[in-house]
Amino acid sequence: MQHIALTGRVLKEIIVNIQIKHRITDEVIFEHDQNDNTIAITVKKAVEKKTILCLADLSGANLYRANLSGADLSGANLSGADLSGADLSGANLYRANLYGADLSGANLCGANLYRANLCGAKNIFPKIFRNALSILKHQTGKLKAFKYFTKLDGRLISPYQHTDYVVGKTYIADKYNTDETELCGEGLNVATLEWCLRDTKCAKNIAYCEVEFYASDIVAIPFISDGKFRVKKMKLVRIVPWEEIKNIIM
């Protein structure tokens, strides 16, 4: 068998160009070239240069231990991305798609995750990053929250299920979603009064009702909830008079 000895080394560097594109328009938001370039290096350079990565397509990207502190990733597609160990402190992830992303060990302190899609996200959040509403799970006795309905000819109609509700009646959900990475899901959705008022913009044809339940009835308080959560059982106690509402919010 003939053996060939190879001597010397390759002196020419291979420059790799990586582009970050807009996930809707496919336009280039940022690009970077260097030897042994990676998507993590390119994103880091973009963040260092304060590039707005809003709506960037970073699906499936390997961002292991990447420094994304303070990055504007609102609306970005990070589905399936490896964000394990990444520094996302103070990052804007509003409406970002994190479906199936690996967030194990990621620093999410101060990150804006409002309306982000965390469905299927792996190893999401240590307990210290849970929603503040999780304190409800540790309370005793009857708890109170609110739910709103459309008023029509004296009826209370759910604007989503289009079913009638009656004051004084107890309701039990046949199905409910316990996944706290999902903002919306099956179950009896209740909320703070402030959330109800924001969501309805204080419309005149809306009835704001007080509901009662126990901590054991809570099935999910989504990590990114700004006031809404799910229970499996509740009692519709009363319609809250507008004068009382004004005293609460003013």
Side-chain angles (χ1 to χ4, degrees), residues 142-149 165 169 171 188-191 208-213 229 231 233-238 240:
K142 290 182 180 179
L143 302 176
K144 293 182 179 181
F146 299 86
K147 192 171 179 66
Y148 69 79
F149 303 95
Y165 281 73
K169 187 174 179 179
Y171 294 87
L188 300 167
N189 285 271
V190 299
Y208 302 96
C209 296
E210 184 180 290
V211 300
E212 285 182 347
F213 54 93
F229 55 99
V231 298
K233 182 180 179 181
M234 70 173 195
K235 180 179 180 180
L236 189 60
V237 179
R238 65 188 180 110
V240 184

Side-chain angles (χ1 to χ4, degrees), residues 36-238:
D36 296 326
N37 195 15
T38 65
I39 185 63
I41 291 172
T42 300
V43 173
K44 180 183 178 183
K45 292 293 182 181
V47 173
E48 288 174 352
K49 295 184 178 182
K50 302 190 184 302
T51 304
I52 296 175
L53 296 174
C54 173
L55 295 172
D57 184 3
L58 294 167
S59 56
N62 180 4
L63 296 169
Y64 169 68
R65 300 190 71 178
N67 182 4
L68 303 173
S69 177
D72 185 354
L73 291 160
S74 54
N77 182 8
L78 289 155
S79 59
D82 182 0
L83 289 160
S84 56
D87 184 3
L88 287 158
S89 58
N92 182 9
L93 291 161
Y94 171 74
R95 286 188 177 276
N97 182 11
L98 290 158
Y99 179 86
D102 186 353
L103 291 160
S104 55
N107 180 5
L108 290 155
C109 186
N112 177 12
L113 286 158
Y114 179 55
R115 293 191 179 277
N117 178 14
L118 293 166
C119 183
K122 302 169 186 175
N123 304 310
I124 182 70
F125 295 117
K127 289 183 179 179
I128 58 172
F129 292 120
R130 289 192 183 276
N131 191 289
L133 287 173
S134 63
I135 194 173
L136 294 175
K137 296 179 180 180
H138 309 289
Q139 305 305 304
T140 58
K142 290 182 180 179
L143 302 176
K144 293 182 179 181
F146 299 86
K147 192 171 179 66
Y148 69 79
F149 303 95
T150 302
K151 292 187 294 186
L152 181 64
D153 299 326
R155 298 160 57 200
L156 299 175
I157 304 172
S158 168
Y160 299 104
Q161 288 80 32
H162 306 292
T163 53
D164 286 40
Y165 281 73
V166 179
V167 171
K169 187 174 179 179
T170 297
Y171 294 87
I172 301 174
D174 295 326
K175 296 179 180 179
Y176 46 85
N177 185 338
T178 60
D179 188 349
E180 296 192 322
T181 67
E182 294 190 38
L183 183 61
C184 297
E186 289 182 310
L188 300 167
N189 285 271
V190 299
T192 64
L193 179 59
E194 292 81 2
W195 186 94
C196 292
L197 292 168
R198 285 198 308 269
D199 202 54
T200 59
K201 299 179 174 60
C202 303
K204 291 183 179 179
N205 66 327
I206 297 296
Y208 302 96
C209 296
E210 184 180 290
V211 300
E212 285 182 347
F213 54 93
Y214 291 91
S216 58
D217 296 321
I218 300 171
V219 296
I221 299 178
F223 294 123
I224 56 174
S225 172
D226 61 341
K228 184 175 73 169
F229 55 99
R230 298 186 289 277
V231 298
K232 60 184 177 183
K233 182 180 179 181
M234 70 173 195
K235 180 179 180 180
L236 189 60
V237 179
R238 65 188 180 110

